[in-house]
Amino acid sequence: MIFEKNSTRTRVSFEVAMTDFGGHSLYLNSRDIQIERGETIEDTARTLSGYLHGIIARVLSHETVKKLAEFSTIPVVNALSDMEHPCQILADFMTIMEHKNRFEGLKFAWIGDGNNVCNSALLGSAIMGMEFSIACPKGYEPKTEFLEQAKALGGKFTITDDPKTAAKDADIIYTDVWVSMGDEAEEEKRLRDFASFQVNAELLGDAKPDVIVMHCLPARRGFEITDEVMDGPNSVVYEEAENRLHAHKALILKLMG
Ligand code: CP
Ligand code: NVA
């Protein structure tokens, strides 16, 4: 488990999953290993392939996890990059299935930044047949390559800068922080740009009465989501967090079982 960024859920759930299976995991902070002193990703990947059964990597740049995968002879899992967070989406879709018992025909409203989690949710929705409705300020849309990929997968999506339009009749409302890891230098501007994109009780009023509210966490309460909504009856955020453990177990079995 190579981590270039902080983590609570991903790190702990992968570690517990391996322990529950009778396996062992090693947490490697990128600052402690030789990558920090300039050893190449290629050499790191080749070396670790001789010791381990898999690599889980949380990286600053998506290129790093791609290179790890290219030069390893063992499975490599993206545990979040600046571009995608696929493990999160496995747990999220498990949570949606538990509550809605289907994917087809559901409306998934993404409120906020067109970031890494949004990109993965967009692709996942395209694969599973959910309508994906993004509300973000102009300039914060998902990158064209992800929109193109979603289209190629047959995905149906819309982009608007009006949260109420996206939330209208939604089955799922999802939000994430306005300032992701790595975006800290833009914090002041982002807090201004996203001010009207809060998931609050008023916005929930536009969605279906049985809408579920999701957040990958960590949340900045009072910014992208209110306490009232996060702690309210529509919120499934802690089930979502717990499902990280179960989804990671499935992933480990699939790749290394
Ligand atoms: N949602 C998520 O990936 O949380 P952590 O950053 O705590 O791992
Ligand atoms: N978009 C957030 C997700 C954290 C799990 C980030 O990249 O910081």
Side-chain angles (χ1 to χ4, degrees):
M1 299 172 37
I2 302 174
F3 279 72
E4 293 184 338
K5 298 182 188 181
N6 297 57
S7 172
T8 298
R9 280 143 288 268
T10 309
R11 175 191 171 169
V12 176
S13 58
F14 266 117
E15 234 177 278
V16 170
M18 277 309 275
T19 306
D20 280 356
F21 281 155
H24 185 76
S25 62
L26 277 168
Y27 174 76
L28 304 171
N29 186 309
S30 62
R31 285 184 297 276
D32 297 334
I33 55 179
Q34 297 289 12
I35 292 177
E36 171 79 1
R37 293 181 53 256
E39 183 168 23
T40 65
I41 302 297
E42 290 89 323
D43 288 345
T44 306
R46 288 185 185 113
T47 303
L48 292 179
S49 295
Y51 305 142
L52 308 168
H53 293 100
I55 295 174
I56 288 151
R58 170 166 287 197
V59 297
L60 293 162
S61 157
H62 193 69
E63 286 309 307
T64 305
V65 72
K66 274 170 66 181
K67 245 188 203 168
L68 277 172
E70 189 183 343
F71 292 94
S72 297
T73 56
I74 53 177
V76 173
V77 174
N78 177 359
L80 180 147
S81 71
D82 53 339
M83 293 292 159
E84 295 185 51
H85 196 3
C87 294
Q88 178 68 49
I89 298 312
L90 290 181
D92 293 345
F93 281 30
M94 178 180 168
T95 313
I96 292 171
M97 190 46 107
E98 285 175 341
H99 281 270
K100 303 289 178 191
N101 211 27
R102 67 193 166 102
F103 294 113
E104 206 84 28
L106 295 180
K107 180 175 178 184
F108 187 126
W110 179 276
I111 312 292
D113 194 10
N115 63 14
N116 45 5
V117 180
C118 178
N119 292 335
S120 292
L122 168 67
L123 296 182
S125 297
I127 293 168
M128 302 313 296
M130 283 190 286
E131 181 192 335
F132 199 74
S133 207
I134 306 165
C136 60
K138 288 203 166 62
Y140 292 97
E141 299 85 2
K143 286 197 173 29
T144 316
E145 61 181 278
F146 290 100
L147 299 174
E148 295 291 330
Q149 265 192 68
K151 243 184 243 165
L153 289 163
K156 281 196 220 136
F157 60 85
T158 54
I159 306 179
T160 169
D161 60 2
D162 175 23
K164 286 175 83 67
T165 304
K168 178 107 188 77
D169 296 326
D171 299 283
I172 300 139
I173 289 185
Y174 201 120
T175 191
D176 186 12
V177 287
W178 296 337
V179 184
S180 281
M181 292 181 278
D183 292 337
E184 291 80 3
E186 299 172 9
E187 171 150 357
E188 212 177 301
K189 176 173 170 23
R190 282 175 166 267
L191 295 189
R192 263 199 323 272
D193 292 347
F194 283 100
S196 60
F197 287 79
Q198 185 183 63
V199 173
N200 51 34
E202 192 193 330
L203 190 69
L204 251 60
D206 293 308
K208 290 208 179 122
D210 64 348
V211 65
I212 54 169
V213 177
M214 306 185 78
H215 191 310
C216 55
L217 306 180
R220 270 188 81 180
R221 286 166 172 262
F223 288 85
E224 76 274 6
I225 191 165
T226 57
D227 285 331
E228 187 186 4
V229 170
M230 186 137 152
D231 300 327
N234 300 83
S235 168
V236 298
V237 299
Y238 301 110
E239 286 171 51
E240 202 185 337
E242 182 188 320
N243 281 339
R244 299 294 303 278
L245 173 65
H246 310 306
H248 292 168
K249 282 186 168 173
L251 187 63
I252 289 169
L253 279 182
K254 169 110 178 136
L255 296 175
M256 301 165 215

